[in-house]
Structures are given as structure tokens and as C-alpha cells.
Amino acid sequence: LFFSSNLTILKIEATKTGHLKSVKIVNVTGDHLEVNLTLGQPVITITAPSEAFINENFQLSLIFDNNATTPGFGPIVELILPPELSFLNASYLGFPVEYVNVGIFPVSGELLDPLTRNITTGPPGYSLFVLEYPFGSFVPEQPPAEIITNLKMALNATIGLPLNVTARPIFRFGNDPIDNPTVDPPIYGEAKNATIIPTVIKVNKDAILHEDETATGPNYPFDYMIEVDVADGATIENLTITDYLPGNIQFIELLDTAGGQVINIPSTTI
């Protein structure tokens, strides 16, 4: 970029789609001016279980990274939770991290993030939490940083209805460590979503085999174990479990009904 000016103090701005603008105030001391307007680029990876028991705790992973070529300062993440999920705590490498419980989005769908001092939007009734990564800055060469959050699914969550969780990474101080948002505003990364389905029961079937293999024939019997897990505080009535065996496996006997009533037993001979 070439230009001429009689001014000795210049305000230079650069923008990129999806980002707030980068601003630099520079003093001109000669006939050549070089300004670095590269934006740090915060990114977040959110990982959650596909299902979670009602009335029980589960974990959510938030991995922060910088995909730019320059550092970003004040890494934080805005976490938006539906009413069915309660935030318990968060940690980095086993140590608690600082967070702000901003509140519940009103009908307007707007809350003021006290760290960025900008308005954040979300669905009415959802909650906003802001988590701080324990770094003053985040350089591109730095390994991704994972915060583990502990959440709890409400007892009255609708079984089978997917719940959306949103995380948005931010460099709250922008491209320098100074809290000067009028000159160097926060840098926002792309928001990412995870979907969690409330559930009340899980059934798991495992073959009890050494190294998960066996020989064939009547001299090599083995066992299957079927486990039923029910969410804390929930009651399941009239539960029926049907186990289908393939044609190349011969049923021998039922070892333990765990208090259940046997409805049907297949033949014990070929």
C-alpha cells in the first residue's frame, strides 16, 4: 500500500469477514512505514458425549488453539448452555479455572460479557458462562489447551430430545496484552456446537473372552454378559430384554437373571 500524507500520527484499520477490525495507532518517523495488522485467530473444538443420563454428571471438552501466525492475548471461551444443563465446575490439567456465570439470556436474547464488554446473543432461557484459559497470551506454536467442564443433566430433561451447547473462542485483549478495546478490540473465533441427547437407560452386551477371541466347538464355551444401566433417580417399569444370537452360536444355559423373570429360553441343543 503506497500513500502520501503530511500527518505524523496515523490510525490504520484492517478488517476480515467474520472478525472485528484490527486497529493500529502509529507514529510516522520516516518515509517508510511497516505495520503488522495480522489478526490472531482463536479456534475451539467442543467434544461431548452423544448421550447423557438425566440427573447425572458428565464432562464436556473445550480445546482452544490459535490458527494465526501471530499471538492472541487473553484467551477465553463463551459457553452457552440450555436450561436442562447445569454448570458445575471446570479445570485445566486438573486445576480449577476461573469462570464467570454471566446469567440467563432474557427475552431479548442479549447479555453483556463482562470480560469483553460486548453484547453476546443466545436463545432466551439459556445460560452464559465465560471461562478463562490460564494464559496471558496464546502463540501459534503453543499446543492446544483443553478445559474440562463438568455438567449435570436435569432430571426433567425430555428423553430423546437433542440439546445444543455452543462454545465461542475469543482473544479478549486482541493483538496486544493491553486492555484497550477502542484501539485493539477482542478477536472472535467461529462458534462451534455440540448436541447431547438425554437418556434414561443404556444396555451393553460384552463377550467374556481372553483377548476377544476363542476357538470353535463344544469344548470352548464362553459367556456373554448383558448390563442394564438406569439413570440415578429414575425408575423403569416393564423392562423386557431380548437377546438375539447368530446362527453360528449355540445357547447352553442362562447363568444369572439378576432378579428378572425368564420369558423364553432357546433350545440348548443343535
Side-chain angles (χ1 to χ4, degrees), residues 3 5 7-8 10 27-34:
F3 63 92
S5 174
L7 300 176
T8 58
L10 299 177
N27 291 308
V28 180
T29 57
D31 58 2
H32 176 74
L33 180 64
E34 183 175 326

Side-chain angles (χ1 to χ4, degrees), residues 218-230:
N219 293 329
Y220 300 95
F222 63 93
D223 298 337
Y224 278 114
M225 177 179 290
I226 298 176
E227 294 180 314
V228 178
D229 193 4
V230 179

Side-chain angles (χ1 to χ4, degrees), residues 245-259:
L245 296 177
N248 61 349
I249 293 181
Q250 173 60 51
F251 175 81
I252 298 176
E253 63 177 326
L254 183 62
L255 299 177
D256 187 356
T257 64

Side-chain angles (χ1 to χ4, degrees), residues 157-238:
T158 302
I159 304 302
L161 181 64
L163 302 175
N164 292 320
V165 175
T166 301
R168 189 179 191 188
I170 306 169
F171 286 129
R172 61 181 293 203
F173 297 132
N175 280 318
D176 63 47
I178 303 172
D179 187 8
N180 53 352
T182 58
V183 176
D184 183 24
I187 301 172
Y188 289 81
E190 180 184 357
K192 296 295 180 65
N193 299 309
T195 301
I196 305 160
I197 300 176
T199 188
V200 69
I201 186 171
K202 293 180 181 179
V203 179
N204 186 55
K205 178 181 177 180
D206 282 327
I208 305 176
L209 293 169
H210 179 65
E211 296 183 350
D212 294 328
E213 61 183 23
T214 185
T216 61
N219 293 329
Y220 300 95
F222 63 93
D223 298 337
Y224 278 114
M225 177 179 290
I226 298 176
E227 294 180 314
V228 178
D229 193 4
V230 179
D232 291 346
T235 300
I236 301 296
E237 297 180 354
N238 300 320

Side-chain angles (χ1 to χ4, degrees), residues 14-233:
T15 60
K16 181 180 179 181
T17 303
H19 300 267
L20 295 179
K21 62 185 176 184
S22 178
V23 183
K24 296 288 184 180
I25 305 296
V26 295
N27 291 308
V28 180
T29 57
D31 58 2
H32 176 74
L33 180 64
E34 183 175 326
V35 181
N36 182 4
L37 288 167
T38 304
L39 293 170
Q41 179 56 62
V43 294
I44 198 76
T45 301
I46 178 171
T47 305
S50 59
E51 296 181 338
F53 274 136
I54 60 172
N55 201 39
E56 292 192 20
N57 300 348
F58 66 95
Q59 291 186 332
L60 185 80
S61 167
L62 301 169
I63 301 178
F64 192 102
D65 202 359
N66 182 2
N67 276 2
T69 57
T70 58
F73 294 84
I76 62 175
V77 62
E78 292 180 337
L79 183 65
I80 299 177
L81 301 176
E84 295 85 356
L85 297 183
S86 298
F87 182 92
L88 302 178
N89 54 58
S91 63
Y92 172 74
L93 297 180
F95 295 95
V97 298
E98 297 292 330
Y99 68 90
V100 179
N101 181 356
V102 181
I104 299 174
F105 286 99
V107 176
S108 66
E110 295 183 344
L111 284 173
L112 179 66
D113 183 334
L115 299 187
T116 64
R117 298 191 289 278
N118 288 330
I119 293 294
T120 297
T121 59
Y126 280 50
S127 299
L128 173 62
F129 292 82
V130 184
L131 288 69
E132 299 183 59
Y133 284 81
F135 311 106
S137 63
F138 206 105
V139 299
E141 298 81 11
Q142 189 169 335
E146 181 182 35
I147 282 181
I148 298 295
T149 63
N150 290 302
L151 308 176
K152 183 174 183 178
M153 182 74 71
L155 179 61
N156 62 353
T158 302
I159 304 302
L161 181 64
L163 302 175
N164 292 320
V165 175
T166 301
R168 189 179 191 188
I170 306 169
F171 286 129
R172 61 181 293 203
F173 297 132
N175 280 318
D176 63 47
I178 303 172
D179 187 8
N180 53 352
T182 58
V183 176
D184 183 24
I187 301 172
Y188 289 81
E190 180 184 357
K192 296 295 180 65
N193 299 309
T195 301
I196 305 160
I197 300 176
T199 188
V200 69
I201 186 171
K202 293 180 181 179
V203 179
N204 186 55
K205 178 181 177 180
D206 282 327
I208 305 176
L209 293 169
H210 179 65
E211 296 183 350
D212 294 328
E213 61 183 23
T214 185
T216 61
N219 293 329
Y220 300 95
F222 63 93
D223 298 337
Y224 278 114
M225 177 179 290
I226 298 176
E227 294 180 314
V228 178
D229 193 4
V230 179
D232 291 346

